[in-house]
């Protein structure tokens, strides 16, 4: 390899490395490990807000709180198709964006939704208030047993 | 004193008013703006139906959008607590705020429509073929950037429509296998549409995409001339009398000015008669029913109704990919410069079929979809 072609290869690969590193840095820069959005855990308040046998919409966390014989459960109101907020429609739920339909348990009965509504974790904090964590998905039959 | 001002004028306009043909040709070569055109043009290129002036109108609308956009930036605050309120200020407090916003909104709608028509015109006349392949690809890029600008601009008013259209759009991105979630996170800067997303869309809308578009437009205009100007038919009748080429000043420039005057009148009239919509403040807990994107995305929304990934992402991406590789596959050069030549029946039929398909899903999505995206037979 002659001097010229060596220097050219050196210059080109130097520029290439710089470009690749810049592209990588740009991607990393755009994904900071911080969230400016609402926290995934939301305190919904006293359990008395959610009467037995009822399904109550908790706006703060976009969940429907289900209180049945087994205890408290939280079903996400976020449509599994494209993330719109579903609304009650008779016994079940309906998404206003593309018409996905769910039954009372959140199972898909129509429309483009690929899966049933997510159930998320319900806990009680030390003061006995109901807390949901919308990042933690749980089994649809899981309930927080109320003592 | 007079000579002093004369010197200033001559330093800017080297040639002076092009009163005769010699001066006209000199002006076309020495003026910064005029040199975008060749000094002489074929009479066949001057017919309105040769281009419908669509490229010129796209460029003009882009310029006017940059201008009105800068005006809006003086009042607009890209934060969820303040964005919607600053739209209200523009609407009710700022003198000429409404009409500035209207010009920006209707200009954007017009630009999307005209850019797509421009793409259609170039396709039908075979303008993508050698030696214009690279410029066609640049043009496809410009169309994509135009849609990107309109998508990012859509979030900025931070009203219900903005919030939900972008929520739906970002979930479509997330529906892409493997890389979808990472791409959506990159776009939104967070799990949901919020503070980070608004700031990102603002910077993309006001800086990143316009700078990219301006650069590619410069390349696009340069290559139009370098590639030999407008694609014309070899069957176009040569003028039997008079010169084969006409000076661009005044024949082309005056036609362009007339077209621009018409566009300005139309845009001003629309902006004084119709106000850009502004819905209630974005509310993540309540989705309006129905939640609809702007008309040019309703075709995609209609397809997404069937499948988020296949309809919302795959089909549009495949269409763009097909347009990009097209000039490197379809290399026959017969029938150029005409809208419906026998040699291009097949190529043009395929294009018109897809264009008609896109228009049908757009019309269905716009007029025949009611609450919960249910089919209905008459708009409310």
């Amino acid at each position: 390899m002659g001097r010229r072609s060596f220097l050219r290869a050196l210059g080109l690969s130097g520029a290439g490395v710089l470009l690749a590193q810049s592209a990588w840095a740009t991607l990393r820069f755009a994904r900071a490990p911080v969230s400016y959005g609402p926290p995934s855990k939301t305190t919904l308040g006293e359990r008395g807000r959610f009467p037995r046998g009822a399904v109550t919409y908790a706006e703060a966390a976009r969940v429907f709180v289900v209180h049945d014989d087994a205890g408290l459960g939280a079903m996400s109101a976020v449509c599994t198709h494209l993330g719109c907020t579903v609304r009650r429609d008779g016994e079940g739920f309906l998404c206003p964006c593309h018409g996905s339909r769910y039954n009372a348990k959140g199972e898909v009965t129509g429309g483009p939704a690929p899966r049933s509504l997510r159930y998320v974790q319900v806990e009680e904090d030390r003061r006995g208030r109901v807390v949901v964590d919308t990042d933690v998905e749980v089994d649809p039959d899981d309930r927080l047993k109320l003592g | 004193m007079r000579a002093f001002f004369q010197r200033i004028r001559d330093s800017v306009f080297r040639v002076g008013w092009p009163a005769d043909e010699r001066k006209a040709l000199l002006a076309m070569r020495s003026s910064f703006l005029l040199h975008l055109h060749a000094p002489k043009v074929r009479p066949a290129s001057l017919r309105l139906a040769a281009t419908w002036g669509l490229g010129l109108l796209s460029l003009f609308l882009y310029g006017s959008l940059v201008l009105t956009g800068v005006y809006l930036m003086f009042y607009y605050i890209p934060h969820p607590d303040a964005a919607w309120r600053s739209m209200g200020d523009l609407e009710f407090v700022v003198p000429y705020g409404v009409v500035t916003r209207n010009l920006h909104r209707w200009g954007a709608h017009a630009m999307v429509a005209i850019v797509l028509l421009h793409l259609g015109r170039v396709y039908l006349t075979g303008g993508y073929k050698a030696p214009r392949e690279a410029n066609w690809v640049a043009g496809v890029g410009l169309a994509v950037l135009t849609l990107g600008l309109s998508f990012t601009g859509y979030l900025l008013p931070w009203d219900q429509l903005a919030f939900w259209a972008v929520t739906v759009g970002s979930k479509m991105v997330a529906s892409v296998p493997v890389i979808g979630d990472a791409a959506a996170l990159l776009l939104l800067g967070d799990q949901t549409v919020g503070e980070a997303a608004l700031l990102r869309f603002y910077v993309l809308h006001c800086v990143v995409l316009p700078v990219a578009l301006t650069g590619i437009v410069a390349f696009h205009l340069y290559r139009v001339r370098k590639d030999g100007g407008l694609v014309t038919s070899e069957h176009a009748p040569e003028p039997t009398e008079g010169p084969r080429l006409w000076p661009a000043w005044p024949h082309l420039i005056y036609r362009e000015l007339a077209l621009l005057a018409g566009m300005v009148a139309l845009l001003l009239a629309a902006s004084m008669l119709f106000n850009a919509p502004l819905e209630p403040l974005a509310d993540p807990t309540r989705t309006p029913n129905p939640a609809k994107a702007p008309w040019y995305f309703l075709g995609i929304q209609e397809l997404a109704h069937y499948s988020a990934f296949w309809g919302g992402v795959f089909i549009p991406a495949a269409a763009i990919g097909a347009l990009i590789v097209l000039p490197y596959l379809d290399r026959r050069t017969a029938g150029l410069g005409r809208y419906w030549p026998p040699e291009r029946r097949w190529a043009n039929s395929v294009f018109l079929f897809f264009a008609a398909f896109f228009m049908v899903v757009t019309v269905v999505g716009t007029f025949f979809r009611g609450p919960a995206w249910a089919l209905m037979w008459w708009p409310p």
Side-chain angles (χ1 to χ4, degrees):
Chain A
M1 184 185 263
R3 191 168 58 101
R4 280 179 183 225
S5 52
F6 172 73
L7 287 175
R8 186 169 62 221
L10 189 70
L12 282 177
S13 35
V17 168
L18 189 69
L19 265 178
Q21 166 60 25
S22 305
W24 174 247
T26 306
L27 280 176
R28 293 284 292 122
F29 180 85
R31 274 188 74 171
V34 326
S35 170
Y36 300 95
S40 69
K41 275 196 177 187
T42 314
T43 305
L44 298 180
E46 306 300 326
R47 62 164 77 149
R49 270 188 65 193
F50 310 104
R52 199 180 180 112
V55 175
T56 315
Y57 182 50
E59 188 174 285
R62 288 172 82 192
V63 295
F64 289 99
V65 178
V66 183
H67 188 170
D68 53 21
D69 294 339
L72 276 185
M75 185 177 73
S76 168
V78 179
C79 180
T80 55
H81 177 227
L82 290 173
C84 296
T85 306
V86 300
R87 51 185 69 192
R88 257 183 258 253
D89 182 57
E91 288 289 291
F93 303 91
L94 168 71
C95 178
C97 286
H98 301 95
S100 295
R101 285 172 192 283
Y102 305 88
N103 64 16
K105 286 159 125 181
E107 291 154 349
V108 181
T109 55
R115 52 155 295 180
S116 54
L117 292 171
R118 288 179 176 78
Y119 277 76
V120 298
Q121 195 175 64
V122 190
E123 294 165 327
E124 267 185 316
D125 66 7
R126 272 175 300 174
R127 287 195 265 161
R129 293 176 305 184
V130 178
V131 177
V132 293
D133 187 339
T134 47
D135 272 359
V136 183
E137 188 176 351
V138 298
D139 191 86
D141 296 324
D142 278 6
R143 291 291 182 272
L144 173 71
K145 290 190 177 52
L146 300 174
Chain B
M1 199 61 198
R2 186 133 175 254
F4 174 71
F5 287 114
Q6 184 80 42
R7 272 201 297 280
I8 294 179
R9 209 191 71 183
D10 289 349
S11 78
V12 182
F13 304 101
R14 294 243 154 94
V15 179
W17 186 257
D20 55 48
E21 188 174 328
R22 191 187 68 89
K23 275 195 152 185
L25 296 180
L26 281 175
M28 291 300 298
R29 288 183 54 169
S30 68
S31 155
F32 172 69
L33 269 181
L34 293 180
H35 98 282
L36 294 175
H37 283 306
K40 287 187 168 190
V41 289
R42 287 182 287 266
S45 305
L46 289 174
R47 288 174 308 119
L48 181 62
T51 61
W52 299 103
L54 294 167
L56 172 78
L57 292 177
S58 306
L59 183 66
F60 166 76
L61 286 166
Y62 176 59
S64 80
L65 284 164
V66 170
L67 189 71
T68 51
V70 168
Y71 274 67
L72 296 174
M73 283 174 77
F74 281 108
Y75 284 98
Y76 178 77
I77 304 164
H79 190 276
D81 295 342
W84 189 76
R85 208 183 57 214
S86 59
M87 301 310 291
D89 283 354
L90 280 165
E91 192 143 348
F92 299 112
V93 184
V94 180
Y96 294 98
V98 182
V99 84
T100 307
R101 178 163 173 255
N102 292 349
L103 282 168
H104 198 72
R105 175 66 70 103
W106 303 139
H109 282 261
M111 184 174 165
V112 170
I114 287 175
V115 164
L116 294 180
L117 288 172
H118 181 48
L119 185 140
R121 194 280 295 168
V122 175
Y123 181 95
L124 291 177
T125 55
Y128 54 85
K129 298 189 175 191
R132 300 181 173 82
E133 310 99 309
N135 212 17
W136 162 263
V137 174
V140 173
L142 289 171
V144 171
L145 281 176
T146 304
L147 291 173
L149 273 161
S150 118
F151 181 64
T152 49
Y154 216 68
L155 181 65
L156 304 185
W158 203 250
D159 61 356
Q160 277 286 67
L161 196 61
F163 182 88
W164 291 104
V166 172
T167 296
V168 165
S170 62
K171 291 280 179 185
M172 277 185 210
V173 174
S175 73
V176 179
V178 189
I179 58 161
D181 283 320
L185 191 60
L186 219 57
L187 184 68
L188 298 182
D190 212 334
Q191 301 295 333
T192 54
V193 178
E195 191 180 324
L198 182 55
L199 190 59
R200 272 173 200 220
F201 275 52
Y202 176 74
V203 174
L204 287 172
H205 186 75
C206 301
V207 183
V208 179
L209 298 178
V211 167
L213 196 130
T214 304
I216 300 179
V217 160
F219 174 83
H220 198 61
L221 296 174
Y222 176 79
R223 283 298 286 266
V224 167
R225 278 206 59 188
K226 288 288 163 186
D227 293 344
L230 184 65
V231 62
T232 42
S233 168
E234 69 269 31
H235 298 295
E238 289 284 322
T240 47
E241 53 192 72
R244 208 174 62 80
L245 294 173
W246 291 6
W249 181 290
H251 298 290
L252 175 58
I253 303 299
Y254 275 44
R255 279 171 169 82
E256 292 192 334
L257 287 176
L259 206 59
L260 290 183
M263 190 74 223
V264 170
L266 209 67
L267 206 56
L268 276 176
S271 300
M272 286 190 277
L273 289 173
F274 307 105
N275 279 346
L278 183 65
E279 291 203 2
L281 177 66
D283 179 358
T285 63
R286 274 186 192 79
T287 308
N289 191 359
K292 286 197 176 188
W295 61 266
Y296 37 83
F297 285 129
L298 283 180
I300 293 174
Q301 198 179 354
E302 170 69 19
L303 293 175
H305 157 70
Y306 300 102
S307 159
F309 171 66
W310 293 104
V313 181
F314 183 81
I315 292 179
I320 293 166
L323 288 176
I324 288 175
V325 298
L326 170 78
Y328 302 100
L329 299 177
D330 175 16
R331 287 156 51 212
R332 285 167 308 139
T333 51
L336 301 185
R338 284 176 295 157
Y339 285 99
W340 191 244
E343 299 90 338
R344 288 183 49 76
R345 289 276 147 85
W346 176 237
N348 284 358
S349 301
V350 171
F351 181 82
L352 289 175
F353 171 78
F354 279 107
F357 170 74
F358 182 70
M359 273 187 250
V360 166
V361 288
T362 301
V363 166
V364 169
T366 308
F367 295 113
F368 299 106
R369 290 293 186 178
W373 214 251
L375 266 182
M376 49 165 201
W377 292 111
W378 199 248

